[in-house]
Amino acid sequence: MSQDSHHGKWTVSSSDEDDDLPLSGTTTSKPHQPSLSSPSYQPAAASASPTIPKIEAAPVEVKPEPANAPVSSLVIGSEARQSAAANQVNTVKYESSPSLAGKRKNEVSDGSGWALSDSEDDDGDVKGKSFGNSPKRAPPSPKTKKVKVENERPPSPYGRLDYIDEPEDFFESSIPPLNDPYRFYLNKVTGLDRKYNSGALHIRDILSPLFGTLKESAQFNYCFDIAWMVDQYPSEFRDRPVLIVHGDKREAKARLLQQAKPYPHVHFCQAKLDIAFGTHHTKMMLLWYEEGFRVVITTSNLIRADWYQKSQGMWMSPLFPRLPKGSSDDEGESATFFKRDLLEYLAAYRVPELEEWIQRIREHDLSETKVYLVGSTPGRYVGPDMERWGHLRLRKLLYEHTEPISGEERWPVIGQFSSIGSLGVDQTKWLTGEFQRTMTTLGKSSIRSAPPLHLVYPSVEDVRTSLEGYPAGGSLPYSIQTAQKQLWLHSFFHRWKADATGRSHAMPHIKTYMRASPDFTQLAWFFVTSANLSKAAWGAMEKNSTQVMVRSYELGVLYVPSAFNMKTFPVSGNPFPVSSSSGFTVPFDLPPTSYSPKDQPWIWNIPYNQAPDTHGNIWVPS
């Protein structure tokens, strides 16, 4: 079976991806190697003359980078990210002759690139973060002098090529409106009109003294650049203890520890990953101040590229005050039981390094919290434990805390994400089966409607015309090996368009899910999370639905109107500049725009050489 497009022809296999996995806590004698058919990708005919749309570059100041630019020795992230780094350092310019455009220039030695972001959710189709699977590079030319630079990073993810400055006021810290009921914020994006960053936050804002006098912090994440992360703390807090909670093993762990050698105040906690292809994908900050305690749940990795020109989001808690001495452990609870659920999530790590943080949380008053916590932790769960994590946890909350709506069969479900796992040979295997049942739950209604399902994922054209150009696709690791097995999925796809937030050209790394009214002016609920569209993140039923298996750590917050004394959330039509409007900011435009017949989803490991990106380059995967 094959599918043609102006990007080429995919030859498709009919194999499924069901794997036998060990029980949680067990190991196998041999590492699991996924069985892959060898996909045949046939580029579009060289004689074709594609129509090349006019490319309008972002209105930003582009400067040549200083001659003695530092070279990064970091190897961060998956194969997709490393390929993006190779494309940024060793650009291939678009030329009118495809035969010339398809030739990669001589590559420099390992260690010159800059890694982008986030995890593979392909459940083994792509080999994740393994150092041994990094793209092979050509040996350096004898004339090339390898420069050894320690503890330095390139000033932008463009490495030696383009240096784009943030404007002077970009890092000016500001406190969001105190009357903001939702506490949901987008990240600042370099290259946007100033108004679209008004009320948005950078990591430097989050760690600013304006939010509290920091004593200690814990950073839960997937990708880290330790030196860059330390630099984001204000100088007066830069030596305060930081606990890094990560999922790296073996070589990746050794590299992470090596990064931290110059920083004795940085300590580590390794999350247990007992099930194959699971990742520690949670992105959370715990901030302990002299004045209290704060939780920030984000969608961004702790590397510069994720806070630069990508669409990201976060929930930032209020400042939680310390409880009076002698208070019981169950005091300071919110109506959403956020304190209980956060403690349960941290306890699921089963590591001594988090005990001190668990005790600190018990000593604070979290009663102002209005969101529900939804996490995933690796394991196989039965009985009541099935509803503790993943999409079954979300289903339980929607059942208990939302209300049926008249005509709900016309209220579409919208999912928006940056990576896609193997979902089965047809939609009923997971997507429109157990997952849709969760997403369509509204209170205790007996109606089991099948409303429209809109999935928002960038097309090739979205990536090509983005601020970062094709390398933005390194953070969208949908592989041809996975895509070829689920062409049925692409009929659900909608493009990334975000004119209302000014972020149409800032490719999404944020993940959001919601239920919208037929006219897209109201929301029945909204969920921001680290979880992409994958069974690894959300969990999948096993053994005739008597057991659920979850591979990864994930974390997000659920907004339901009842917690805000509302029936529905009104969607904000003009979220920027920030005002006192009661509307909810949706990161992308509603209604979503369906793919046209010519649109294809971005797939990272096939070439795109028929049209240049915003930097005049083509995409040649390593």
Side-chain angles (χ1 to χ4, degrees), residues 76 78-91 104 113-117 135 137 157-159 161 305 310 468-476 602 604 618-622:
I76 300 177
S78 68
E79 198 173 349
R81 257 145 267 115
Q82 294 177 34
S83 184
N87 271 265
Q88 287 173 321
V89 174
N90 309 297
T91 57
R104 176 173 284 285
W114 184 253
L116 293 182
S117 77
R137 307 281 180 86
Y158 296 104
L161 305 176
K310 300 187 188 301
E468 297 174 276
Y470 285 129
S475 300
L476 302 164
W602 170 262
W604 79 269
I618 62 172
W619 178 255
V620 184
S622 299

Side-chain angles (χ1 to χ4, degrees), residues 14 35 115 121 153 294 423 437:
S14 59
S35 175
D121 276 307
R153 295 90 57 221
R294 192 186 307 276
L423 305 181
R437 182 180 174 191

